[in-house]
Amino acid sequence: MDSWTEVWSSLKREEGEYAKCSNPTGGGEVECWNSQVSETIANEIGRKLCQWFYFVLPKQLLQKHQPFNKLASSYFTENVHLQCNYNIEGQNKLDCTGLMMTTWVLSGIFKEENLVFSPNLDLGGLKTGHDRYGVLTVEISGTVHKHNSYIGIFDHTFQAVCLPGRKSFIIKSVQLNMHK
């Protein structure tokens, strides 16, 4: 699968996954995520999101022929917030907001730094949940490698929202912590 949209589309649609909700801006009803039946779905979405982020996204970033900012707008909100803390070779912190800066930082992590993440999708490394507002939170832990050498561990938290009129999640914030 080449895009997060395709990953989302590949998920099995469960009966009752969406419900009719009153439109908060008025004007009838809209389809919204039915959180009462969606814990299993949240876990599956979280797993697919991590697989996309760690295995598909780095390959897309390496393809120079593809304009990534256009591609990224289907994965991230325009005002996405990225916070990256790493304490591997000295302590550093990056904090940025916006699609362009976020894609620039992610590109640097995967392309320039050549970091390879090995997420622990099993054994308690993946946790998902959603709040009463429908914000999906995905937490993943794992190891970080560079040039076939282990350099540390990471904890990563995504928050994603389902935008009005779409049946797919889009990432609104990313927090990545790396340390030895």
Side-chain angles (χ1 to χ4, degrees):
M1 287 179 227
D2 292 333
S3 73
W4 174 233
T5 305
E6 289 176 21
V7 170
W8 171 260
S9 299
S10 74
L11 295 173
K12 181 181 176 189
R13 302 293 176 143
E14 298 290 332
E15 185 64 36
E17 179 179 349
Y18 287 92
K20 292 290 182 187
C21 304
S22 62
N23 187 341
T25 60
E29 294 183 327
V30 295
E31 255 186 351
C32 62
W33 194 30
N34 184 351
S35 61
Q36 294 177 343
V37 295
S38 59
E39 190 171 326
T40 302
I41 295 166
N43 289 335
E44 183 66 14
I45 293 169
R47 179 176 300 285
K48 295 282 188 182
L49 175 61
C50 290
Q51 289 171 337
W52 168 79
F53 191 89
Y54 293 111
F55 304 117
V56 177
L57 179 62
K59 291 176 187 171
Q60 290 177 335
L61 288 170
L62 294 174
Q63 295 175 353
K64 295 185 186 220
H65 66 276
Q66 205 164 14
F68 186 70
N69 285 336
K70 182 179 178 190
L71 185 69
S73 65
S74 62
Y75 309 138
F76 302 103
T77 61
E78 287 292 326
N79 61 341
V80 62
H81 182 87
L82 171 75
Q83 183 178 34
C84 183
N85 301 301
Y86 50 102
N87 190 4
I88 294 177
E89 296 175 359
Q91 190 165 349
N92 292 293
K93 181 178 181 177
L94 294 169
D95 200 341
C96 63
T97 300
L99 185 60
M100 298 257 316
M101 286 299 294
T102 297
T103 56
W104 180 76
V105 170
L106 290 175
S107 180
I109 289 171
F110 290 119
K111 283 171 59 174
E112 308 303 325
E113 294 294 326
N114 294 309
L115 296 182
V116 177
F117 294 84
S118 180
N120 180 7
L121 295 171
D122 298 311
L123 305 171
L126 174 66
K127 294 179 183 175
T128 60
H130 51 83
D131 63 19
R132 65 187 185 139
Y133 305 105
V135 177
L136 176 70
T137 301
V138 179
E139 297 174 348
I140 184 75
S141 300
T143 56
V144 184
H145 308 266
K146 184 173 183 171
H147 305 296
N148 293 323
S149 296
Y150 165 85
I151 61 170
I153 59 175
F154 74 91
D155 296 300
H156 195 168
T157 303
F158 300 95
Q159 285 193 318
V161 294
C162 193
L163 296 177
R166 293 178 63 169
K167 290 186 180 180
S168 62
F169 281 87
I170 189 165
I171 299 169
K172 76 173 201 78
S173 69
V174 179
Q175 182 177 1
L176 176 60
N177 297 307
M178 296 179 279
H179 44 93
K180 287 184 180 185

